Every structure is written in structure tokens, then in C-alpha cells.
Amino acid sequence: MRVADIQRFCMRDGPGIRTTVFLKGCPLRCAWCHNPETQSNKRELLYYETKCIGCGACGVCNQNAHEFSDYHTIQRDLCIGCGKCVTECPTGALEIIGKDYTIQELLKIIEKDRAFYGKNGGVTLSGGEPFMQSEEAFLLLEQCKKKGIHTAVETCGYFSSDILSRAVPATDLFLWDIKDTDSQRHKDYTGVSNERIINNLILADSLGAKTRIRCILINGLNSKEQHYKNVAGIVSRLKYCEGVEFIPYHSYGGAKTVALGEIYLGSDKWIPSKGQIDEAKKYLQNKGITVL
Amino acid sequence: MKFFAVNGTRPIRLSEETRKFAFESLNHKYGKDTWNTPAVSMDDYDNFESLTPLQKYDAMIAKISSTAPIRICEGEKISGAATLGIAIRHTIPATFNGDTLYSSISHLTIDFETVLKKGVNFIQKQAEEALKKYKGTEKEMFIQSCLHCIGCIRTWHNRYLQQLENKSQYKANYENLKNVPFEPAKNFYEAVQSIWFTFAFVRLCGNWPGIGRIDWLLGDYLEKDLADGTLTLDEAREILAHFFIKGCEWIRGEECGSGDAQHYQNIVLGGIDEDGKDTTNQVTYLVLDILEELGISDFPTTVRINKNTDNKLLKRVAEVIRLGGGVIAVYNEDLIIESLVEYGYGLKDARKFANDGCWEVQIPGKTFFMYIPFDSLQILQGETLANYNNDISFTDFKALYDKFIRDLKSTVENLITTRNTNSFICTGVPTRDWNWKPNIPCTVVSLFEQGCIEKGASYLEGGPIYNIFSPHIGGLPDTANSLYAIKKLVFDEQKVSFSELMNILKNNWEGYEQLRQYALNKYAYFGNDNDEVDMIAKNIINDFSDICDNASSYSAYNTPAGISTFGRQLEWSPHRMATPYGKKAHDILSGNFSPTPGTDKEGATAIIKSYCKADLKRTVSGAALDIKLLPSAVNGENGIEAIISLITGFVALGGHFMQLDIADAELLKEAQLHPENYQNLSVRVSGWNARFVTLNKEWQDMIIAQTGNEF
Ligand code: SF4
Ligand code: SF4
């Protein structure tokens, strides 16, 4: 599987202590993306300027992608993601995002923290969109379940509904994103419309999928009562939903966009106020929906 | 009145008066008062100089007990106060011609069990018996001193009774203090007073004893009172809170704030009793309530956890830990009891274990304890690698490792047979049947250590049942990392030759920044769950423990191994040269058995795993692991579950002692200034994560600003 990062000791991606595997590749292109390095399924070079000591060791690049004139620049279009410069860079200023692991290798890493998972903790596949690599994702989830490790998947919900018959039994908990309930806005800001996502969610529920709904809250875009109302409407149709979690937009994803050598499209204006977050939570709570 | 919490808010259960008492005590009211009367003076004592040391001591204790200021705090529920300031400096607070005479005793937990259940009168009877036995021998003097000191307790006790009797509002205190600690305590209130009064007297005389298993000591009294309906749980909490509040009477706010636990008044909670039954009771929870509400960190508290510990207790412990301030640590009781038994302790005594002032395991009321700290990194650098002399070379890793162990062995043996011990407690090279050297007098603590009266020997002269002299290895992760880096750089990858590396290190990496960065960043060091380096640490511990166990065969005391630095990494840093794993000379390196700052990149679970790979049963004295977590990591309901999982994982994997601490925005600011030490610090918001040090200043500031709410 193509992996962006693996993090142990995660407390935010489902119950208990978890190991989260961030997978590469996503069908959406959200303007507010918090993990832009997971969007493309290609191997990409990240460059952290603050860590660079200007030693020039990365000059080993066969493509001559690293240039040192007044300061260190990278010609991204020349880079083929071979990772040679990363091996040479002594400080960790360069990093290749996108390493390929076999299922067995991933299982071994996931098993490392077994002693800390307890009954509730376990593995979370995140991303990116884990089901972009659905066949391997199934295998990994099924293997984990077999070993008694709790499985969670954070998904954008945008995939062919065919996969659900296998995804649902393999996944103990879905962290399901509903980014916007306004179809046009969804299309404008993520590149795809939301019908498929919502239909999949309802279908998954009918197959018995346990879900927690994750809603990003973006000031000026979806911080609207109509949106909350729509969310409440969707959730009320779900039998196995544990509740809704609001994720306030933050612009930290921008740091990684810059490290990728790209221009960040997000805006600080999008950060919702505490009042807005409370308002959204309250709206759902008043409708009798659990807010996580 | 707000009691500081790093994370969340502290609940309110205690009365307004008690909270005010706590607030004032924590804010130095009594500590300052204590400093106004530093010591009693022996200048007016006739012929003081001509007395023997023991006679001088007896005279000092007499003067202290008859003239030290009596302090009764407004509204206090239990009485007795250590009111002489020099005691705060670990010295007997009596002077002659302006100088103090004797240092005092710490690192022991005294025998409160006998005091509570049998009373000081019982100890007096024991001493009277011993006097018959030792009449006319050289031991008679010591026994006389014991009887004398018991008399002094009585003098001090009477002075308190007189004061209380005259004040109508302290009638309950008076009645409650009348019988204890001389007679057995009859109920919970008397029991708390009995422990406190004994503790306060021992401290008044300059000593710093630990308290030990307070819930086990008090549990039966409380259960009985509750069953009889003579006390409510709320009343019991108030009484017990006064014990903790009075225990803050040495906080002066100058040398150490309330965050410091400087006086070794340690407490151990939970765990099984000598018959293997769980001791957790209502008192356990009351103590946790009090620590949670008042945030008092002056009683270093450790909870004994085993594989069957109730989830209810784990949850309460996690809730208190989460508030921050590092108040509560955990022991893996299963491993420790096994470790003690394998070392040779009887099972019943092993199950009674508590600790000294910090976390070194000992059997309370039966143990003389002392440790000898040393720096393993300086052995590697100074001896094995001859201060990086370029003539030094090893053909392979094994040869290097073996030489290091030989150097370690001679250092430890040297410490045990000559230096410290010789000057401190014995004459000549100690043998199994040596004579203990006469030492400074210490009768007061000897009264409360089983074995002393029976043997007619003081605490420092071989009196206690167990006599422990524990070599403590420091800088262990740094040594393992150094050996590992040499293995990789020189032997496995041949990046540099041995003598080149020695030269580079001698010159503090000058001119080799690229190689230094490579060494620092390209290998996973201790704390990252990397078997290769973790096994080096494990092997050192096994070899070190063998050396220590062997030493017990030629010394009068037992010499179990331990791992600690207790902050000595600071004082060692000027003597340390550059390390092969990329640290520069004089850097501040690892504390206790925790990873070197900046080298742990995989998070808390990986740290625990690295630590637990060592066979920690071998470090009988203890091996401490410190872990700092961000408040954001433990927010919400899942945060409690996360802390519990860390603790249960630590127990399942065979840990020994772990201190989980919750650190706040200050830490992030520190990380901003010294990113090299905080490589592993991940900042997380749902679904987003980044390593803090990889962000630029703008981003970092933003996150710091958010810490404490969003996170
Ligand atoms: S990853 Fe390969 S191609 Fe890209 S910059 Fe580095 S060395 Fe050059
Ligand atoms: S090798 Fe790394 S530290 Fe050196 S110039 Fe390249 S990016 Fe910077």
C-alpha cells in the first residue's frame, strides 16, 4: 500500500490509543485540505526549509532538481521522487511522502502497540481516502480483525458503492466526513458533488456500519443553519450512527502545502469562532443528536 | 482561591475553611513562619563540648522537644508541627556556637504500622526489655538514648496537650491527641493524628521520612467508623485533607515552590497486602480526591498497579494525572514483588513494599537505604574510549562492549569497596562479617525501624533488618545510544574509521556538522522501539545487575542495582564530552531511564516499549521512566482511556515505575527555542498532524496560542 505516514499513539482517530495509517491518494481536492500531502497518489518530495542547513548533500540528485544559487530551491517538475536526496540529507529537511508497504509490513507495525490498544483502541486507516486502495485496505482490515484489533476507517465517502459489501464487515467504525450538504458548494470547493457520499453513507448504515460523522466547519462557507439542518436530517436516517463531531477549519495544512512547493488556497477567514462552533453543536444537540 | 491545573479544572469537595487552610499553606504561610525560628541553641548547656556525640544528640533532642515553638494553625483538625527552619535543610535544628552539628536522615519510610496498632508505649516496652539484655554492654548507651528520645516525644506531646486544653475551640483536637501516638489508635481520626504526630516529631528533629502506604494503614479504621456510623466519608476527607495541608508546612516559596517534592514525604497507594489481598479501600479514593482538588505535589504519590487492578481505580488515577503537575506515578506491582522475591526477600515482606523519598523500592520500617549514583557515559568516554584518544581502536563491536563492561565492573566495585562506603559507614574493605563503624547519632528514626532496638544498633550502624546500598547507574540511554552510533557509523556502515571518529568527537564535531546531523537523525535511538539499540541497553542492565548482585557476596549490606539520575544529568553535563550519536559536549542528556531529549520520535507507546524490553526485575532498587504528554493528547473522555491504556500497557510489558506528566503551552515555547530537544513533539488537531519543530515560527506561534483550548 502507498502510505503517507504512520503515527503511533493517536488519540483523535477513534476510541482508545490507535495507530493511524495515513494512505496516499484522494478523489477529492478540498480547498481547505488539512493533509495536502496525502492527496496525490504519487511519491512526493517534502522540503522543510527550517531544518535545512544548506550543506548541499542533496546535490546528488541525478535530475539536478536541487538548485543552490542565492538560496536552496527545488525544481519540482524535474523530481521523479526517487528519494536519493532524502537518504543523503543529514537533517531530515527532505522527506519522501509515499512509501510502499506490504500488508505484512503494515501488520507488523500495527502490532507493535498491541499492548496499549486494550479493548477499544486499534488501527485507523486515514488519508487521503483509504478506499482508493480498496483491495489492500480490505486485506489489511480483515487481517487486523482476525487478530482481534479494532478497526476504524476515516473516509470521505466518495467511492463506488460496490465496495461497501466488503468494507462494512471489515470496519468496526467509520469516521465519515460530510464536508458540505450544499451540492453546488461541495462541487466548487472539493471538485465533486456530494450525492454519492451521502448515498453511500445511507447504504453503509443499512448494511450495519457503525459511524461517527465528521463535519468540517468553515466560517462563511458551511457555517449555516441550513447546513446543520441538513446534517441533522441525514443523521436522523442512520440507525448505527454514534454521533457527530465538528472539526473547526484550521489553516495548519498550509505549512505542508508550502513544504510540497505548492500555493495554499485556504484562508484564515475560514476559521470559525468559538461561538459558531457552539452554535453548530447546540443546533444538533437540540435535535437530540449526540455531539462528540 | 484557585488551585493550579495544567489541564481542566479541579473539582470542589472540601469545606471553604479547609480550602483556605490549604491555599495559605501552599502559599508559604507556615514555611515562612518556620524560617523565623531556625534552630534551638545549645550554647547555654553546661560543658556541652565535653559530651560524647550520643550525649550531645540526646541533649539536642531534649532541647528541641521542650523549647521548639508550638504551632496550632487556625481551624486545624490535627496537631503537631515541625517548626524549626533548619530541618528544611536536612539538618538537626540545634546549634552550638552558631553551627549545626549533625546531618539528619532521609530516604526511609518509617514503621507507622507499629505506631498505629501498638503505640509508642509498645516501643518503649521493647526498649526496656532490650535494656535488660544489653545492660553493661557497649550497646546500653544506644538503648538509653532510645528511652530518652521516647521521653522527649512525651514532653513535646504534653506541651501540645496543654496548649489545646486551654483553647475551647480545640477540644476535639485535645481529646483526639490524648492517647495517641502512645496508645494504639482506636478510630480513623485518632489514627490520622497518630501518624501525623509521629511524622511531625521525626521531622521536627530534622529528618525527612516517607509515609508509605497510608491507605493500607488507615483503611480498616475508616471502614469500621463508617460501619458504626461514627464518621461520614465527607468528614473523613476533611480530616485527611488536614494531614496533607499540614504536610506543606515547609514550603517557603524560595528554594522550591509547591511543585517541588523536596522533603521525600512519599506516599504509596493501592496494591496487595502480605496475604495477596487487594488493599484498595475508601482511603485510597479519599487521597486521590484530595490530591485532585488541591493539586498538592509535595507528597510524591505512587499507585501500585497490577494486572487485576480495578478499572475504577485506574480511572481515578488517570483523572488526577490528567490535571497535570506530575502528582501521581505508577508502580508495576507484579514485577516488583517478583523482583524482590527473586532477590531474596520473603514473599510477605516483598508484598509490603513502599519506597524511600522518590521511588526506590524498600520494605517500610525495616530498611536502611542508601544509593550510590554514578555516570555510565563518563565511564564510556573517560575509561573505555580514553577521552577519545585516537590510539584507541576496537576491531569489532563486541570487543568495545566487553571493554566497557569491564570498566563498569571496576567502577562499581570501587564504589562499593572503598570510596563512599569507607568514608560513610564502615571501616576498611567491607566483608560479610564486618563491624559497622560508629556513626553520627540518629536515635529518633531508629525508634521506628524494626531491628534497631532488638540489635542495639542505630539506623546507620546496621540496626535495621535490611541494609541496602544500591549502586545507581545514570546516563544509561546515552551510553546505549553512543555504543549503537559507533556500531552503525564505524562497524556497520563504515562511514568513518574508529580513530577518525575519536578525533571528531574530541573536537566536539567541529567541522563535521553534516556527519553529526547524520548520526543524530538517521538512526532510531533508545525510546523509538528499535530492537537493535534497545537490546544494547538491556544487555548493559543485565551485566550491571550481575556486577551488583555479585558485590553483595563480599559486603555487609545488599547492593541491588538501580537506574537513576534524579536531575544529575545537569551536574554531569560539564564533564561529558561530545557523544557519537550527535550530541555536543556539555549537552544535557537523558534523565533516569528515559530517552535522551530530542531522540524519541515515535511517541509515548514507543518509549514505554523501549524501556520495557529491559529485564527490569534485575533493577531491584528501581528504574524510573518519565513521560511528558501534551494536554491536547489527553483531552476528552478518550484522554482518560488513553492514560489508562498507557498504564495497563506499561504493566503488561513489564515496566517498573512510570511518571506521566502533562505539559502545557510553556513546553511548546520551550520547544520553539530549542527545537533540537523536541523532535518528537507532535501537535494534533482532529485529522491533522505535524511535527511541531518542522513548522515555521508563524505556524508554531499559532499553535501555542491554541494550546489549552482547541487542542
Ligand atoms: S527525490 Fe530524487 S529526483 Fe527528486 S529531488 Fe530527490 S534525488 Fe532528485
Ligand atoms: S541535504 Fe538537506 S540540509 Fe543539506 S542542503 Fe539539502 S535539504 Fe538542506
Side-chain angles (χ1 to χ4, degrees), chain B residues 153-170:
Chain B
I153 305 177
R154 224 176 277 281
T155 305
W156 196 59
H157 188 249
N158 277 329
R159 291 177 64 212
Y160 269 95
L161 285 181
Q162 271 165 19
Q163 291 268 339
L164 293 167
E165 199 176 12
N166 295 331
K167 295 192 173 89
S168 60
Q169 74 268 39
Y170 293 108

Side-chain angles (χ1 to χ4, degrees), chain A residues 73-195:
Chain A
T73 51
I74 301 169
Q75 300 289 108
R76 301 273 174 179
D77 46 346
L78 298 179
C79 172
I80 53 166
C82 71
K84 212 170 147 191
C85 60
V86 177
T87 317
E88 289 307 315
C89 173
T91 67
L94 295 170
E95 195 179 345
I96 285 283
I97 298 292
K99 288 184 193 87
D100 294 328
Y101 290 84
T102 65
I103 302 291
Q104 284 316 313
E105 283 168 337
L106 287 174
L107 277 172
K108 228 172 125 187
I109 294 168
I110 292 163
E111 289 248 31
K112 280 186 167 190
D113 274 351
R114 179 107 210 196
F116 302 98
Y117 293 153
K119 271 199 261 1
N120 299 330
V123 65
T124 299
L125 302 189
S126 181
E129 169 50 53
F131 293 127
M132 286 280 274
Q133 306 178 55
S134 58
E135 200 49 41
E136 286 136 305
F138 295 150
L139 284 173
L140 181 58
L141 292 168
E142 284 159 1
Q143 291 285 337
C144 286
K145 276 202 76 130
K146 224 193 234 155
K147 290 174 184 288
I149 297 171
H150 181 274
T151 57
V153 174
E154 180 172 23
T155 179
C156 70
Y158 193 86
F159 42 68
S160 149
S161 56
D162 301 347
I163 71 158
L164 282 172
S165 59
R166 201 162 160 204
V168 171
T171 308
D172 292 318
L173 177 70
F174 288 91
L175 309 169
W176 201 296
D177 291 355
I178 297 183
K179 300 183 193 286
D180 205 336
T181 48
D182 182 288
S183 182
Q184 189 54 47
R185 264 202 321 258
H186 199 283
K187 197 164 173 27
D188 291 347
Y189 285 92
T190 72
V192 304
S193 65
N194 61 7
E195 282 78 17

Side-chain angles (χ1 to χ4, degrees), chain B residues 139-348:
Chain B
K139 296 184 170 179
E140 184 184 338
M141 290 296 293
F142 169 70
I143 302 294
Q144 293 285 13
S145 174
C146 289
L147 288 164
H148 168 80
C149 289
I150 292 172
C152 293
I153 305 177
R154 224 176 277 281
T155 305
W156 196 59
H157 188 249
N158 277 329
R159 291 177 64 212
Y160 269 95
L161 285 181
Q162 271 165 19
Q163 291 268 339
L164 293 167
E165 199 176 12
N166 295 331
K167 295 192 173 89
S168 60
Q169 74 268 39
Y170 293 108
K171 204 162 161 28
N173 298 46
Y174 172 79
E175 290 299 328
N176 193 47
L177 181 61
K178 230 165 60 186
N179 296 315
V180 293
F182 293 97
E183 290 297 317
K186 294 189 297 294
N187 56 42
F188 179 76
Y189 189 17
E190 272 194 5
V192 175
Q193 174 68 78
S194 179
I195 297 182
W196 173 260
F197 199 81
T198 309
F199 178 68
F201 181 77
V202 175
R203 294 221 303 177
L204 176 74
C205 299
N207 308 289
W208 295 6
I211 291 151
R213 306 180 72 186
I214 195 169
D215 54 345
W216 170 72
L217 287 165
L218 294 173
D220 289 347
Y221 294 99
L222 180 59
E223 305 286 336
K224 184 170 173 299
D225 289 0
L226 291 173
D228 294 351
T230 50
L231 193 73
T232 68
L233 208 53
D234 286 340
E235 286 164 349
R237 192 185 297 110
E238 295 284 327
I239 292 169
L240 195 57
H242 281 230
F243 181 97
F244 281 82
I245 295 164
K246 287 186 67 81
C248 298
E249 66 187 359
W250 279 359
I251 298 176
R252 293 173 52 217
E254 286 157 37
E255 284 160 17
C256 53
S258 65
D260 278 315
Q262 292 289 346
H263 309 112
Y264 307 158
Q265 51 215 71
N266 55 284
I267 281 181
V268 175
L269 295 178
I272 58 174
D273 65 11
E274 41 183 1
D275 302 319
K277 247 182 50 228
D278 184 22
T279 66
T280 310
N281 63 65
Q282 305 260 35
V283 179
T284 318
Y285 291 100
L286 289 185
V287 172
L288 292 170
D289 284 354
I290 292 162
L291 294 176
E292 182 183 41
E293 175 164 354
L294 302 177
I296 293 175
S297 60
D298 292 74
F299 293 84
T301 302
T302 311
V303 185
R304 286 169 50 157
I305 306 286
N306 60 45
K307 289 198 178 73
N308 303 317
T309 299
D310 201 58
N311 209 54
K312 182 178 158 208
L313 179 61
L314 286 170
K315 185 152 183 269
R316 281 301 284 139
V317 167
E319 282 166 355
V320 181
I321 287 177
R322 182 160 75 170
L323 291 166
V327 184
I328 297 194
V330 292
Y331 275 130
N332 176 5
E333 158 175 285
D334 296 325
L335 175 121
I336 291 170
I337 293 172
E338 237 178 273
S339 152
L340 290 168
V341 169
E342 277 181 23
Y343 192 74
Y345 286 90
L347 180 62
K348 283 194 185 254

Side-chain angles (χ1 to χ4, degrees), chain A residues 47-49 51-59 66 68 72 74 85 88-94, chain B residues 514:
Chain A
Y47 167 60
Y48 300 107
E49 209 182 317
K51 282 188 150 194
C52 176
I53 56 168
C55 69
C58 50
H66 293 272
F68 298 90
H72 183 181
I74 301 169
C85 60
E88 289 307 315
C89 173
T91 67
L94 295 170
Chain B
Q514 203 176 323

Side-chain angles (χ1 to χ4, degrees), chain A residues 11-22:
Chain A
M11 257 83 61
R12 299 266 157 172
D13 307 319
I17 289 179
R18 313 193 70 86
T19 296
T20 302
V21 182
F22 293 88

Side-chain angles (χ1 to χ4, degrees), chain B residues 20 23 65-66 84 96 161 258 274 297 303 320 340 441 444 459 572 610 636 688:
Chain B
K20 181 160 171 269
F23 193 74
S65 55
S66 58
L84 297 171
F96 183 67
L161 285 181
S258 65
E274 41 183 1
S297 60
V303 185
V320 181
L340 290 168
V444 170
Y459 176 78
W572 286 335
S610 279
W688 173 84

